[in-house]
Amino acid sequence: MTLKVKAWGKCLYKYNPHFISPKLFTEVIQMQVFNRTTVVTQFILVGFSSLQELQLLLFVIFLFLYLTILMANATIMAVIRYSRTLHTPMYGFLFILSLSESCYTFVIIPQLLVHLLSATKTISFMACATQLFFFLGFACTNCFLIAVMGYDRYVAICHPLRYTLIMNKRLGLGLVSLSGVTGFLIALVVTNLIRDMPFCGPNRVNHYFCDMAPVIKLACTDTHVKELALFSLSILVIMVPFLSILISYGFIVNTILKIPSAEGKRKAFATCASHLTVVFVHYGCASIIYLRPKSKSASDKDQLVAVTYTVVTPLLNPLVYSLRNQEVKTALKRVLGMPMATKVA
């Protein structure tokens, strides 16, 4: 093959010296053949490779955090399941969110733990696409679920007398189903857009899991159009739910300020404090990663932010809702058989 290419180059150069030199012609043809025939079958997740001496320590830390996440979310789900006082739409949404967060971390952390103890940190192309699909599916679902919880708080505070009529079981199941179906449809579209890109090397992903930006950087083609489409989807998933939450809380604050008693205002704000904490952490981290110009994307610092929304946020949700929510704390004590505090008349 190489001899034929060189011969073609010499022939062209003989009859047209201004065309191209034989050596350059050979390199161009070989590069074109390489790009057409070479396909990446696996990626290397670089992740925390630069912290080689801390791999064991990182393994212990992430294992502890992962087990804590599973235990905390399982506790929240068990308390909601076995406490009849929490059988309301608000805690039903929290139950689904805790389940989704547990699945979300299961997609990422177990593989991270394996790679921290392994010399080879490879992942096949199909496994990478599968991880990306489920990661995005659960992440998008969580974004929509948190927005649904904001709407639930709006109805509970602004229309308390009609709450049970509006937020009935049918509407609750419909909102949860819509969140899940929409989230995974968006994940399917994004995964197909990235999967159809040609990858012909290099294959080192500058991350500890398969995320959009680090994988797209490895595509050996112009990705501007697809990146614009992915950015538009990111706006849909992050900004639309976030703006809907802000609108809901605008009405909520206006209603709370009209409550005459200070105790009533305090209770109303306390009801929303847990949800607002989760909102700002969740959407804040997602915006830092996915709503930025291309020139500022995929830096090493992104891995620290990624740890926040893949590890800290799933841990924060059950802790915030259990520590800042009096109803959950009371139900937890009842389930665990702990003595209840009684008010003295």
Side-chain angles (χ1 to χ4, degrees):
M1 176 67 184
T2 304
L3 293 175
K4 289 183 178 180
V5 170
K6 289 182 178 179
W8 295 337
K10 290 179 180 179
C11 183
L12 288 171
Y13 187 72
K14 178 179 179 181
Y15 291 100
N16 188 358
H18 301 288
F19 176 70
I20 191 172
S21 69
K23 182 178 180 181
L24 183 58
F25 178 82
T26 302
E27 292 176 354
V28 171
I29 293 298
Q30 287 178 338
M31 181 59 70
Q32 290 178 349
V33 172
F34 174 81
N35 286 340
R36 280 201 297 259
T37 59
T38 304
V39 178
V40 170
T41 58
Q42 64 180 15
F43 293 110
I44 300 174
L45 297 175
V46 178
F48 300 104
S49 298
S50 59
L51 304 174
Q52 196 65 40
E53 67 282 359
L54 299 176
Q55 298 287 293
L56 184 58
L57 177 61
L58 290 173
F59 173 83
V60 173
I61 292 174
F62 280 112
L63 178 61
F64 172 76
L65 290 174
Y66 181 53
L67 294 177
T68 305
I69 289 169
L70 294 182
M71 290 171 55
N73 281 291
T75 301
I76 287 291
M77 289 188 287
V79 169
I80 294 173
R81 172 66 179 82
Y82 293 107
S83 179
R84 296 185 63 85
T85 59
L86 301 183
H87 290 182
T88 63
M90 172 184 174
Y91 295 107
F93 296 138
L94 178 57
F95 182 97
I96 299 299
L97 179 63
S98 296
L99 177 62
S100 180
E101 292 280 21
S102 299
C103 297
Y104 172 78
T105 55
F106 179 75
V107 173
I108 299 170
I109 301 182
Q111 183 191 62
L112 170 62
L113 294 174
V114 172
H115 282 177
L116 286 172
L117 296 181
S118 174
T120 58
K121 307 180 188 300
T122 59
I123 181 172
S124 68
F125 183 84
M126 287 307 300
C128 183
T130 302
Q131 184 185 56
L132 179 64
F133 169 72
F134 282 104
F135 162 71
L136 292 175
F138 287 116
C140 294
T141 299
N142 292 343
C143 284
F144 296 134
L145 280 175
I146 294 173
V148 168
M149 294 172 74
Y151 174 71
D152 173 79
R153 291 300 81 207
Y154 158 74
V155 177
I157 294 176
C158 297
H159 305 282
L161 299 179
R162 299 171 56 199
Y163 177 72
T164 55
L165 182 64
I166 297 174
M167 292 302 299
N168 53 56
K169 186 175 181 180
R170 182 178 179 181
L171 178 61
L173 291 175
L175 291 173
V176 169
S177 301
L178 182 62
S179 299
V181 171
T182 306
F184 277 92
L185 279 177
I186 292 174
L188 182 63
V189 171
V190 172
T191 304
N192 282 331
L193 284 174
I194 296 177
R195 190 192 62 181
D196 291 340
M197 295 179 182
F199 295 93
C200 47
N203 66 338
R204 295 173 63 85
V205 179
N206 187 27
H207 216 318
Y208 59 87
F209 70 96
C210 291
D211 201 358
M212 290 192 298
V215 174
I216 291 174
K217 283 189 67 177
L218 303 180
C220 50
T221 185
D222 184 14
T223 60
H224 286 88
V225 175
K226 289 190 175 182
E227 283 186 298
L228 181 60
L230 295 175
F231 183 75
S232 301
L233 288 174
S234 298
I235 293 176
L236 171 65
V237 172
I238 298 173
M239 292 308 300
V240 172
F242 182 66
L243 290 176
S244 71
I245 292 172
L246 291 183
I247 293 172
S248 296
Y249 273 96
F251 287 109
I252 288 172
V253 171
N254 183 57
T255 301
I256 292 176
L257 293 177
K258 294 178 182 178
I259 297 176
S261 67
E263 181 65 16
K265 291 180 181 179
R266 188 192 65 79
K267 288 183 177 180
F269 277 119
T271 304
C272 302
S274 303
H275 183 249
L276 277 176
T277 303
V278 172
V279 165
F280 285 110
V281 173
H282 184 92
Y283 290 102
C285 293
S287 300
I288 291 173
I289 296 295
Y290 300 107
L291 298 182
R292 297 179 310 176
K294 179 183 175 183
S295 60
K296 296 182 180 180
S297 64
S299 67
D300 293 334
K301 295 180 181 179
D302 288 354
Q303 293 185 42
L304 298 177
V305 181
V307 169
T308 302
Y309 68 78
T310 58
V311 180
V312 177
T313 301
L315 178 61
L316 178 68
N317 290 347
L319 292 180
V320 166
Y321 280 106
S322 61
L323 295 177
R324 295 184 61 88
N325 190 299
Q326 187 60 44
E327 288 182 310
V328 174
K329 287 192 291 186
T330 302
L332 180 60
K333 290 178 181 178
R334 186 179 295 113
V335 170
L336 296 177
M338 298 173 64
M340 307 291 294
T342 56
K343 292 183 179 181
V344 180

